[in-house]
Amino acid sequence: MSAGQGSMGVGLAGFLAAWTLMMAAMMLPALAPLTSMYLRSISAVPSSRVKAARTMALLSGYLATWIGFGVLAYAATVLTAMMAADAPDLAPWVGAGLILAAGVYQLTPLKDFCLSHCRSPMAFLLHVSGYKGRFRDLQVGLYHGLYCIGCCWGLMVVLIAVGVMNLAWMVVLAATILLEKTWKHGRAFSRVTGVSLIVFAFFVPAYPWLLPGLYMTPAM
């Protein structure tokens, strides 16, 4: 593993820019049913400029929560890169513990509670209908973003462990998030994902290359 693989070899600002683009690509498809319903609720606004501004405020609030999480992700990627270099024997066990924690979380009532929010656009609309003022759409985005983090933080921990720029895992996790939030069997699929991560975690200590974000390729 190169020295900069964990944080992509860039500083915090560069990492957050790339992280925000990744979160938009991974999260917004799953967000589409909810946002489309919310945007229909403001379709009566006569000004297209106002509607565009409100849409941007909604998405900005949502992405702001993930940018905040991205600061923690940056710290985690720097630490994992250091651990892979300085404690290669310990790193697989730490990685296995992280994957195990992510898998267990998939089976908890809190995960189910947050996922229920993400899967219930009507309940979401009823709650945010009471938001008033100039920044209400930004508040709506922040409100939903926090629930989304509650729903998906474990899967983001997996992404950090396997390498933030691991495109194959990005696709797998994005598809997992989409199915959890939009498929009629999403709750059951979430539990299957949790069990799969738990099983996967037990293989990591014996096969550390399964977590590229914590694995230093032996020098030739």
Side-chain angles (χ1 to χ4, degrees):
M1 183 180 72
S2 65
Q5 180 176 323
S7 59
M8 299 175 285
V10 297
L12 177 60
F15 178 89
L16 289 180
W19 174 266
T20 302
L21 290 175
M22 286 190 295
M23 292 303 100
M26 293 177 66
M27 298 295 178
L28 292 184
L31 189 65
L34 186 146
T35 52
S36 62
M37 182 173 289
Y38 180 77
L39 293 176
R40 282 199 297 271
S41 72
I42 65 173
S43 61
V45 176
S47 171
S48 58
R49 182 178 299 178
V50 172
K51 283 189 287 190
R54 292 189 63 179
T55 301
M56 287 302 299
L58 175 71
L59 295 178
S60 295
Y62 179 79
L63 290 176
T65 60
W66 281 107
I67 292 173
F69 188 86
V71 175
L72 298 177
Y74 177 76
T77 55
V78 171
L79 289 174
T80 56
M82 293 172 58
M83 182 177 296
D86 299 335
D89 294 332
L90 177 62
W93 292 95
V94 173
L98 293 174
I99 301 297
L100 180 63
V104 170
Y105 181 71
Q106 291 285 117
L107 308 177
T108 63
L110 181 57
K111 164 71 178 192
D112 195 52
F113 175 75
C114 293
L115 184 59
S116 295
H117 166 89
C118 295
R119 290 176 55 86
S120 304
M122 189 58 65
F124 167 78
L125 285 179
L126 288 174
H127 177 86
V128 301
S129 62
Y131 287 11
K132 306 295 181 184
R134 181 179 300 178
F135 300 107
R136 60 189 180 279
D137 301 299
L138 184 66
Q139 287 179 276
V140 171
L142 289 169
Y143 170 77
H144 183 61
L146 290 173
Y147 269 102
C148 197
I149 288 175
C151 183
C152 302
W153 71 264
L155 298 177
M156 293 304 104
V157 167
V158 174
L159 182 62
I160 292 169
V162 298
V164 172
M165 290 302 291
N166 190 319
L167 295 180
W169 271 95
M170 282 178 61
V171 171
V172 170
L173 293 176
T176 299
I177 292 167
L178 180 64
L179 290 172
E180 280 188 350
K181 293 186 176 183
T182 62
W183 191 27
K184 65 179 180 178
H185 302 300
R187 288 191 180 88
F189 181 74
S190 175
R191 293 181 175 87
V192 170
T193 300
V195 173
S196 299
L197 288 174
I198 291 170
V199 172
F200 179 69
F202 283 98
F203 283 92
V204 170
Y207 305 98
W209 51 265
L210 290 171
L211 297 185
L214 283 162
Y215 179 65
M216 178 68 75
T217 303
M220 299 301 292

